[in-house]
Amino acid sequence: MFRMGSWLTTKPKPNASTRSLNSLDEPQYLEDALRAATHIMNDDVEAAEAGLSKGNSSFHKLGKGVVTFLRATLGFEQEVMREASERLTDAEATALNDQRRAQREVTSYHSSIYPPGSEFALCHAQSQLMSAVVGVLNESLTESIKGFYKLRKAFITLDGLLEAENRYMRGRSVTSLGSTGSKSIDAPVMPGGFGDDGTTATDDRLRAAQDNKGKNTIVKEGVPAPARRGEEADDDDAFYDADETPKTSSASIGNSGLSESGLAQQMTDLSLHHHQMASTPTVIAPSNHMTLDQDPNSDAFSDPIDIFIHSGSNLCFGLLLLMISMIPPAFGRLLYIIGFRGDRERGLKMLWQASKFHNINGAMAGLTLLGYYNGVVGFCDILPDATEDTVDGYPRQRCVDLLVEMRDRYPMSRLWMLEEARMQAANRNLERAVELLSGDVRSQLKQVEALAIFEKSLDAMFLHDYDLTSESFLKSVGLNNWSHALYYYIAGGAQVELYRQWKGSEPSKAKHHATQATTLLKKVPLHTGKKKFMAKQLPFDTYVFRKIQKWETRAKEWGVDLVDAVGVSPIEEMLYFWNGYKRMRPAHLETSLQKLSWSNSLTTNPLWSRENLDEYAILAFLRAVTLRHLGDFSGARKTLHDEILVHDKALFKGHLRDDWTAPCANYEMAVICWMERGEMGEAEKKGSREEELVKECAEWLDRAAKWESYELDARIGLKVTSAQDTLKKHRLAMASTS
């Protein structure tokens, strides 16, 4: 196996910015940067920054960008995001210059797999990808749109790197082609690179696109050769549609006079072909490559630069394919801007491949995989049948092995302890998860500490530990700035539960918790609207603001205190939206049923008779979900049908009403079908019943996917998108075996 330390030397090295790197310098600078950047995965920010500050190469600047990017995405703090954006912009520019130089100079590094300059093309693409994510998380619509455009540009570069691997796998000599001065049409050209005549590889592509202007060409399979090999020149930030035809010169992002409303209109223009509205976006699909999936000790990876390119391209391309595959229906228009489709299975395979390598790319791939399986998969319900030899579903043992390896590589990091706690929660061991997150070990990264407290808050909520829930969410207010309104809302909701718990037996305790609940809930409206995503208010902020308005209106109309006007358990609602029921054991689920029964008992809640249909539907829906997790599928079906689905959906709409239960009930019916199918024996699956259940599941999903806009639709849409992907793969598998 290749060891990074073997390339380290103690001789002094000149600053990379003062002279061109050659094939001897590059490995040394790369190793220095990788070694320094890896400290961040051990929570050692100071060591990472100190090591990276010793160099000024593309690799060092990328490392600085990675360090700040992790801090930015872990904490969502605006000042850190600004710093990350500045560093990544600098890294982009430096990498682009080095890439152009490497393509011109014969002394530059020449790989047996990749064209000259590929290592800098990867640095450039990684910087663009991270910059895109930071841009989308930014509150500015301008930066968000720039971010989506950069995702597209990074895709083209990364696809070109993988095409080089494809050529290598087919036995073509990349080195001989890339090192000659001839203009052979077969010579590989890196995306965004310059030809011998000084023109970009994209110039011909754009001229060809202009010649075909007006043609609505849809690329169904693969990427056209020019699209694989060329990219828009980086100093041209104009937006292009999916066929890369320039729309208009006024679309330039660099136009400082363009307002955010103007960019929003451009987003609409790019999203929808006004005169030729298509049912599917005009997109490009990733090239169908042969896979270079050898282990790190393979002869193919005898050079550190090739290891860096391979692990980095698999990390970035895998992450891109995975992210885009999860875009919910509510954000479907973004596919028109991004211009390519996701591929969850391929993306996951690439991330697993990257995780094999002992560098920062491997560590980030591991972090992404654990976050996906313990977070996203834990959030979704309709998943493929899990097997250890696939990447779909939840490959439990494979995730455990990955976590053990990462904790062994980075023993001082609380980040991996956080992932262990998430894994414990995903495996319904909530008590152990809380124990892990309650230790005395602290991280140098305050963003990791904030995440740990937030995760602990959720686990406490899933355990119905209301005191700890309230305490932990209030602690989160002081640790990060993401959604204080939501934190106050859940903390207040926990106090409501404690008020109800003691109301009939200890009035003094109940009064204390009622006061606490009222104080916290009244803080919610004061903190909504302060954070934005793509220039819009956060969905949960909108949700909790409406709930407080609803309760205050009822309190006034009914002549009761705010705490008595609260409807069905707000904590149980949050359990659904955070998929807490999936992490509960039967005893926890029975507790949820008990808490829900408080609402429609005239003994405990004499105001129940004054409630509206939407509140009745919330109670029925949450009961049905709990029954489904307890395995009572028939009871769950009956509850959803008799108390929600029989009603006209228009009855759930109106000022301050909860309109989410009807579409979610359709989704839940689909889940029940899939769960019933999963309970069938192998003999039963050979009959027609399985096919009937899958068909019914698809019908319910289709209704949920096509539902008009409703509260928190993007959140539910993530589940719907995942479910549709699962059914698509299931149909293909069935077709291949029939």
Side-chain angles (χ1 to χ4, degrees), residues 89-107:
T89 298
D90 185 28
E92 277 186 60
T94 303
L96 181 61
N97 289 333
D98 282 343
Q99 179 190 349
R100 290 168 174 169
R101 172 198 52 75
Q103 290 170 339
R104 291 193 303 264
E105 297 182 1
V106 295
T107 58

Side-chain angles (χ1 to χ4, degrees), residues 22-23 26-27 30 102-103 105-120 161 164-165 167-169 172-180 188 190 292 299-310:
N22 57 41
S23 58
E26 284 188 28
L30 174 62
Q103 290 170 339
E105 297 182 1
V106 295
T107 58
S108 62
Y109 169 75
H110 283 66
S111 167
S112 61
I113 304 175
Y114 308 98
S118 293
E119 63 273 36
F120 301 116
L161 290 171
E165 291 187 358
R167 288 192 294 268
Y168 172 80
M169 291 294 289
R172 296 182 61 181
S173 176
V174 176
T175 302
S176 62
L177 290 172
S179 61
T180 62
M190 282 309 303
L292 180 60
D299 291 341
F301 303 121
S302 58
D303 192 283
I305 295 180
D306 286 350
I307 289 177
F308 170 69
I309 299 171
H310 177 75

